[in-house]
Amino acid sequence: MECMNRMGPDEAEHFQERYRRVAARIEEATDRHDRRRAVGRLYEMSWKNPYAAYRAGEVSEFGLYGRTPDHVEAANMYLRAHRLGDTRATWKLIERNPCSVPPEEAEAGRRRLFMDAALPVRTRLADGTWDCGAADGFIEEAEAMAERSPALRELLTEALFRAGDGRCRAWAERSAADGCERSRLVLALCLLEDADSAEDPEDGARSFGEAVGILEGTDDWMAHLAFADILFSSRFTESDDSAALDHLLKAVSSGGDPDGMRAAALPYLEYYAASLEGMEPETRFLSRSGETSFPGRSVRTEYPPLSWSAVSEWTLLMRVTRTREDGVTDYRELRNDGGGFEDDVFAVIPASSGHDMPDAPASFVFKPTGLEMELGDDCRVVRAVYEDLDEEQLRTVFLICVDSARRSVGRLRA
């Protein structure tokens, strides 16, 4: 297996050439002192050179060139090579860890190693979630090896799910067929996405029913959050705030991934907190104060970017409308000409470009007052700072839109 690393081709060739020179010195050494010095140079290079680190692991593991075998040192060298991007070391550590550890620690270690290699780019978003990028080269290796390994199918399913990769669905089905409960949960979440985006409502209802059947047998924080989302706003079942809140509380009181759980649950919990403060959905109308005092169209001002993914009301609105990164909603019946979610109160307008009209960025429009906000490349995040807009007013606008979206989605059941 070739060494796959995340360096550029020129840098990789440079490190490979340096490693070849040291390897040649080891083989050409005329006595044990020269060989010892050359091997020492190999270990020195291992801090930055993935080829040297992997070879140092082999030297330590098998006791080559007169060195005493040291499995702990070998494991450390392979781990160093793994961190530098050498997938040969990754697979060696996953499949046969040279350093003996208890089975439960070995399993957790294998999972960490796999995710490190499969998701090399992970960005912490303002709302506490992670944006993951899959490493195609490693994923292709994993797919080939997962054909004969149920354990790798489970790991591959989780990695692709975290990265939002479309290949996740097929591997989730295969891993779920192996009996993996975690993959069954991922499959249920994929089926819920199918249900929302189905062209035929009957097909959507079937996918929804299959997903719910899986979720009902799963006591996991992700399953509880999925039920909370369904009960909060779904085209296939009546909204039930009491049951949704109950699932949210079960999710936050369970174990699992605390950061992911908190980031996913917070927008809903803050919505209900606002309700307890007298902001009941049925009283959130523009005529609350007798006048429409909300801001109108705003001019984008160039200041350091403000990520509205950190504002729970905006995050919740994007979830309720099933809005993707490109601004297109999964609800086909509620799409405007650009594919964004639109009802009588607001609209999400994806970016447009064409020969007949000038390019236009994505935007959010609040119809009662004409408020318009420019969105960034990811429509789930507002990338501009609007100095003339009051944050509390914006939060209230987003809450009004959440309530409107819930009603609009509910009407799809009729």
Side-chain angles (χ1 to χ4, degrees), residues 314-391:
W314 177 258
T315 301
L316 184 58
L317 180 60
M318 295 296 97
R319 292 182 188 172
V320 170
T321 58
R322 303 295 191 266
T323 297
R324 304 181 211 145
E325 180 178 331
D326 60 1
V328 175
T329 176
D330 285 336
Y331 292 125
R332 296 175 180 270
E333 300 90 335
L334 294 170
R335 286 179 181 173
N336 51 34
D337 291 341
F341 188 100
E342 183 169 358
D343 62 12
D344 295 336
V345 174
F346 73 100
V348 176
I349 304 174
S352 62
S353 62
H355 300 295
D356 300 332
M357 57 176 52
D359 293 350
S363 61
F364 165 81
V365 178
F366 186 58
K367 296 179 179 180
T369 65
L371 167 66
E372 183 174 348
M373 299 172 60
E374 182 180 325
L375 307 179
D377 295 333
D378 183 344
C379 286
R380 296 166 300 185
V381 179
V382 179
R383 291 295 187 187
V385 172
Y386 298 84
E387 282 200 329
D388 55 328
L389 299 185
D390 180 83
E391 183 175 326

Side-chain angles (χ1 to χ4, degrees), residues 156-168:
L156 184 59
T157 296
E158 182 177 345
L160 293 173
F161 175 71
R162 290 190 189 183
D165 193 300
R167 291 171 286 184
C168 169

Side-chain angles (χ1 to χ4, degrees), residues 175-302:
S175 184
D178 296 331
C180 175
E181 287 301 317
R182 186 69 173 178
S183 295
R184 279 172 51 82
L185 175 56
V186 171
L187 178 59
L189 298 178
C190 292
L191 287 167
L192 289 176
E193 292 181 2
D194 292 346
D196 289 330
S197 59
E199 294 186 22
D200 186 338
E202 292 186 1
D203 290 340
R206 280 193 292 271
S207 295
F208 178 81
E210 187 177 348
V212 169
I214 296 173
L215 292 173
E216 286 177 339
T218 306
D219 186 18
D220 183 278
W221 70 268
M222 291 180 65
H224 287 300
L225 284 173
F227 270 123
D229 184 59
I230 290 169
L231 294 165
F232 188 81
S233 178
S234 173
R235 62 178 298 178
F236 300 106
T237 187
E238 294 288 339
S239 298
D240 188 334
D241 287 314
S242 176
L245 185 56
D246 182 56
H247 278 290
L248 287 169
L249 295 177
K250 288 180 180 178
V252 298
S253 63
S254 65
D257 174 10
D259 291 335
M261 174 270 296
R262 282 194 290 264
L266 182 61
Y268 299 99
L269 293 173
E270 292 208 356
Y271 177 93
Y272 289 121
S275 298
L276 294 174
E277 293 171 2
M279 293 285 287
E280 292 295 339
E282 61 269 17
T283 66
R284 292 193 197 122
F285 295 108
L286 291 177
S287 57
R288 258 188 326 128
S289 60
E291 298 179 359
T292 57
S293 59
F294 294 102
R297 181 182 176 87
S298 178
V299 178
R300 185 179 190 275
T301 53
E302 297 294 341

